[in-house]
Amino acid sequence: MKELWFDTAKCLIGGEWTAPAGGGTLPLYDPSTGAEIGAIARGTAQDIDAAVAAAEAAYRGAWGQTPAFERGRLLMKLGQMVLEKADVLAAIEAADVGKPLKQARADAVALARYLEFYGGAADKLHGQTIPFLDGYTVYTLREPHGVTGHIVPWNYPMQIIGRSIGAALATGNACVLKPAEDACLTALAFADLALQAGLPAGALNVVPGLGAEAGAALTGHPGIHHISFTGSVGTGIAVQKAAADNVIPVTLELGGKSPQVVFADADLDAALPFLVNAGIQNCGQTCSASSRILVERSRYDEVVARMAERYDALRVGRAVDDLDVGPLISARQKGIVAGFMDHGTDLEVAGQATLGDLPDGGYYVAPTLFAGATGAHKLAQEEIFGPVQVVIPFEGEEEAVAIANGTDYGLVASVWTDSGARQMRLAKAIRAGQVFINNYGAAGGVELPFGGTGKSGHGREKGFEALYAFTTLKTVAAYHG
Ligand code: NDP
């Protein structure tokens, strides 16, 4: 890839690009073609040890002594550098994860936005004074955890790095990042930009490698003080168990089965683009993808027909073609999604994109809209992580809420209705970390706290809330008589 200015087969540890201790590498594949396009480092437990030691040294040294406003200034400078390189980062991401260029560029811009937001907030996180007994002065201090571990998945590497590394650095933590083996390149590019921006050595360390090796070594390491994890429920449970062994806090963001609930009085012209885009964006590989569309029965046929029209018109292509939908991340993910689609044979295929002339080795699936499902159907219960949506009819508010809340997940939901009272009732009744009214996703919402309930995980990232998650509170009670 001609855009690369760093060695992809190295780790960043203590401000130095180093070969992994075991000398191993892992192949990189372009999801659009299946072609091998390079290699990344296969980091080991030894590299994680070195990275955690480097982070601890930075925390005790130069980074720990950097005043909050200077941390903020540095993050904002880094945000500017990311913006200037947005096209290059987008090209790298498109080749690495198969994301259409426009979507990859939007991720780069979101990364910059996180750095600006958390850079601006770095010196605005205050403790409190607490009225107490006569003769005391009591106050709280918000302090960094120390060394934070970050396990980032492959679906939105830049955005998730922005929201977790941005907030962690803003609050003065030193970070060790383990990107997903299928999506390391923009993490490495970002780390190099951070060095260029003047981030002290060891404040950010990156160890690529396998989840079961480098990832497990990081999450079980006794030298880290907080873990931020985004990924599957199964791996999230393993990460939480590892955190429990060291008695450290963990933020888990584990995806969902997010519904959009469409009532008969909804403005369908406004809703339709959201209904479909929230399912097919990033080829459906989005934690907050809306994979269930619940529609009040009197307008059910109309919604299915209008969504189907959009599905039939979707254009699927290579990332560089920059169409509506690209390939999935990997052959493995293609197998997972195809397996789910095989479970839809008892449903109606209401709409489906046509796959045109695509490279044979690419990981493509045809975006598909299934209709006629019940809330209990496997495709309405399990996270598919592909461009597949199911439409489910309902009758009245009570049934809508029961179906919306009828999965193990609770990440995001939306309600489409003109009735203000119903909007308020549903926003309360639906179990989710975010509820959108007459929109979906609020354009990413860097400022908006984000996270789940149930098997969608716990803890909040994004917005100001993340700054609390990446700090610990100390109460100081001074007796002075
Ligand atoms: P995983 O949860 O296994 O991977 C997510 C991250 O965890 C990756 O960085 C991975 O590294 C790392 N990891 C894997 N095993 C361990 C471990 N034992 N200890 C620490 N870190 C580990 O998801 P998959 O990539 O296997 O995807 C499978 C399914 O997970 C998807 O189909 C989707 O349903 C869900 N998923 C949800 C995401 C979300 O945004 N909520 C994101 C990604 C997946 P590596 O990739 O190198 O193994």
Side-chain angles (χ1 to χ4, degrees):
M1 253 179 290
K2 64 180 183 324
E3 296 87 356
L4 300 184
W5 66 93
F6 51 89
D7 185 343
T8 62
K10 297 240 164 109
C11 309
L12 179 66
I13 299 175
E16 302 289 333
W17 290 103
T18 54
T25 57
L26 297 166
L28 275 183
Y29 299 99
D30 177 350
S32 295
T33 60
E36 194 170 327
I37 53 168
I40 54 157
R42 180 171 178 167
T44 61
Q46 218 178 318
D47 300 305
I48 292 290
D49 279 344
V52 172
E56 180 69 29
Y59 177 66
R60 304 234 162 265
W63 183 237
Q65 286 148 20
T66 304
F69 80 92
E70 281 186 15
R71 294 198 302 265
R73 188 177 277 166
L74 202 144
L75 289 177
M76 285 193 274
K77 178 177 173 192
L78 181 53
Q80 192 55 42
M81 290 167 73
V82 166
L83 271 187
E84 282 159 16
K85 274 215 173 294
D87 288 332
V88 175
L89 290 168
I92 295 172
E93 194 78 305
D96 198 17
V97 307
K99 208 172 271 234
L101 277 169
K102 261 197 292 300
Q103 292 178 30
R105 193 175 194 289
D107 286 1
V109 172
L111 166 59
R113 181 75 196 98
Y114 279 112
L115 296 168
E116 289 165 359
F117 180 83
Y118 288 119
D123 58 354
K124 296 167 191 69
L125 187 69
H126 302 153
Q128 295 178 321
T129 54
I130 301 175
F132 194 55
L133 300 175
D134 190 35
Y136 281 86
T137 297
V138 179
Y139 58 94
T140 59
L141 297 172
R142 285 241 155 236
E143 297 181 336
H145 292 291
V147 178
T148 51
H150 303 256
I151 305 280
V152 168
W154 39 261
N155 54 344
Y156 289 88
M158 285 194 274
Q159 293 214 31
I160 295 171
I161 285 171
R163 78 185 190 205
S164 84
I165 300 284
L169 289 176
T171 42
N173 298 282
C175 307
V176 180
L177 163 64
K178 209 301 279 176
E181 78 203 66
D182 288 330
C184 280
L185 297 186
T186 49
L188 297 170
F190 170 75
D192 195 69
L193 290 179
L195 283 186
Q196 290 178 34
L199 191 72
L204 172 63
N205 306 275
V206 185
V207 181
L210 296 173
E213 294 177 3
L218 176 59
T219 54
H221 201 289
I224 60 167
H225 308 109
H226 179 282
I227 302 171
S228 161
F229 172 82
T230 304
S232 65
V233 176
T235 305
I237 291 169
V239 168
Q240 179 151 355
K241 285 181 177 163
D245 284 341
N246 290 315
V247 198
I248 58 169
V250 55
T251 301
L252 297 181
E253 200 271 88
L254 308 179
K257 198 69 198 167
S258 299
Q260 298 199 62
V261 185
V262 185
F263 284 91
D265 64 350
D267 176 350
L268 274 196
D269 291 336
L272 267 154
F274 289 90
L275 296 183
V276 174
N277 289 347
I280 54 100
Q281 181 183 314
N282 201 31
C283 205
Q285 304 166 116
T286 303
C287 46
S288 55
S290 174
S291 48
R292 295 186 296 153
I293 308 297
L294 282 47
V295 187
E296 198 156 24
R297 199 172 286 279
S298 63
R299 296 195 78 181
Y300 175 78
D301 289 341
E302 181 187 357
V303 171
V304 170
R306 292 184 66 182
M307 286 184 73
E309 257 174 47
R310 286 177 176 259
Y311 262 82
D312 294 345
L314 285 173
R315 298 158 310 154
V316 180
R318 299 172 307 166
V320 287
D321 297 330
D322 208 8
L323 302 177
D324 306 310
V325 180
L328 292 162
I329 183 75
S330 61
R332 175 173 166 255
Q333 193 64 21
K334 183 176 169 180
I336 293 175
V337 174
F340 273 110
M341 289 171 77
D342 287 345
H343 283 282
T345 47
D346 56 336
L347 301 176
E348 174 202 348
V349 174
Q352 190 167 53
T354 306
L355 295 186
D357 188 17
L358 294 166
D360 286 341
Y363 313 132
Y364 300 96
V365 290
T368 303
L369 180 71
F370 287 103
T374 65
H377 195 281
K378 186 178 172 76
L379 298 194
Q381 284 290 316
E382 295 182 26
E383 184 174 53
I384 299 171
F385 236 58
V388 178
Q389 289 177 296
V390 291
V391 197
I392 307 167
F394 70 84
E395 204 78 72
E397 254 180 64
E398 201 180 320
E399 192 185 12
V401 171
I403 298 173
N405 288 345
T407 72
D408 290 339
Y409 295 99
L411 189 60
V412 165
S414 85
V415 181
W416 294 90
T417 176
D418 258 5
S419 158
R422 179 183 279 149
Q423 292 166 4
M424 296 302 116
R425 280 195 299 275
L426 272 277
K428 279 193 173 173
I430 290 180
R431 202 172 62 112
Q434 287 186 329
V435 177
F436 300 101
I437 295 169
N438 291 336
N439 76 98
Y440 193 90
V446 164
E447 303 85 345
L448 311 182
F450 178 72
T453 60
K455 289 207 173 143
S456 290
H458 53 76
R460 295 292 176 265
E461 290 196 335
K462 300 174 69 163
F464 217 79
E465 205 62 34
L467 300 173
Y468 300 128
F470 281 107
T471 51
T472 181
L473 195 71
K474 180 185 282 172
T475 304
V476 180
Y479 179 71
H480 39 70

